[in-house]
Amino acid sequence: MEKSQKIIKQSDENCPVRKSLALLGGKWTLLILFQINDRVLRYGELKRCIPDISEKMLIQELNSLVENKLVSKKAYPEIPPRVEYCLTELGLKTLPIADKLASFGLQNLK
Amino acid sequence: MEKSQKIIKQSDENCPVRKSLALLGGKWTLLILFQINDRVLRYGELKRCIPDISEKMLIQELNSLVENKLVSKKAYPEIPPRVEYCLTELGLKTLPIADKLASFGLQNLK
DNA sequence: CAGTATCCTGTAGGATACTG
DNA sequence: CAGTATCCTACAGGATACTG
């Protein structure tokens, strides 16, 4: 494996780690992406997957994820409403990060 | 590759992603770990590596990283003082996460 | 050099109630 | 069902000055 250090010279605003963290660093962001994973989930299902999140935070995160092209949203013009969320191509690329986070937690944290 | 989904049933407090995020989710945490990497760095060197961080945040993060056994600290009884930081075994295990973050940023973010 | 000590602020995040 | 709309607050994070 190549030395990570070679990737980056200075931790300025252009640092890829900081840019990724700016996009993904929220308390819930990676967890939501990880929960959606390769599935297509309705709002309510997602909420049930992450019981501790407030409605406000969930919808707020989803909106910004959609805005940032990590998640795509499909609303059906039905009553009662149905809205489905899934990861975009870009969103799928974040899964390896969440996976590393998960395996780190599993292996090292009680 | 195995389905990530199998790892976890629910996103409760025991969710490994959330536990990892609780430990590593700060604005600077993973960046500091990534900067130290496999090196042994003095406080001042580290500060120069991450120019934007405030002294308070840097020392605060370092202290909590030491407390959480991710970083080890060696202070030499000299004048002027010399203090060296490097990653512990556990800290080294977080590098793959930072690496994924870095490569995601490099490949996908402008 | 490697930190402390203060003071300050924005905003991430939450609780609750309401709606098309 | 899938959201809005309000109101609220703790604390992450920062600026600045000082010290052993």
Side-chain angles (χ1 to χ4, degrees), chain A residues 14-36:
Chain A
N14 295 318
C15 167
V17 175
R18 285 179 71 177
K19 284 189 295 187
S20 298
L21 248 18
L23 189 62
L24 306 171
K27 179 175 178 183
W28 300 105
T29 315
L30 280 165
L31 184 65
I32 291 172
L33 295 171
F34 185 64
Q35 281 299 316
I36 299 178

Side-chain angles (χ1 to χ4, degrees), chain B residues 26-28 54-57 81:
Chain B
K27 179 174 179 181
W28 301 106
S54 67
E55 304 216 329
K56 177 192 161 187
M57 283 314 298

Side-chain angles (χ1 to χ4, degrees), chain B residues 5-19:
Chain B
Q5 220 55 13
K6 288 186 185 162
I7 298 174
I8 159 185
K9 308 277 186 199
Q10 292 187 90
S11 298
D12 60 12
E13 326 70 47
N14 295 317
C15 166
V17 175
R18 286 179 72 177
K19 285 189 295 188

Side-chain angles (χ1 to χ4, degrees), chain B residues 68-85:
Chain B
N68 290 320
K69 312 287 186 196
L70 292 162
V71 165
S72 72
K73 168 180 179 171
K74 185 169 186 186
Y76 296 83
E78 304 172 357
I79 290 179
R82 179 158 62 109
V83 180
E84 290 176 347
Y85 294 92

Side-chain angles (χ1 to χ4, degrees), chain A residues 88-105:
Chain A
T88 62
E89 282 296 313
L90 182 60
L92 288 168
K93 292 180 185 157
T94 67
L95 290 179
I97 302 169
D99 280 340
K100 288 289 177 194
L101 237 19
S103 63
F104 177 82

Side-chain angles (χ1 to χ4, degrees), chain B residues 14-64:
Chain B
N14 295 317
C15 166
V17 175
R18 286 179 72 177
K19 285 189 295 188
S20 297
L21 248 19
L23 190 62
L24 306 171
K27 179 174 179 181
W28 301 106
T29 314
L30 279 165
L31 185 64
I32 291 172
L33 294 171
F34 185 64
Q35 281 299 316
I36 299 178
N37 221 281
D38 55 4
R39 301 184 290 182
V40 176
L41 288 183
R42 300 182 60 166
Y43 174 81
E45 295 176 298
L46 198 45
K47 207 167 80 174
R48 258 170 275 126
C49 286
I50 313 175
D52 294 356
I53 199 173
S54 67
E55 304 216 329
K56 177 192 161 187
M57 283 314 298
L58 181 52
I59 199 66
Q60 186 172 299
E61 280 293 323
L62 284 171
N63 287 338
S64 88

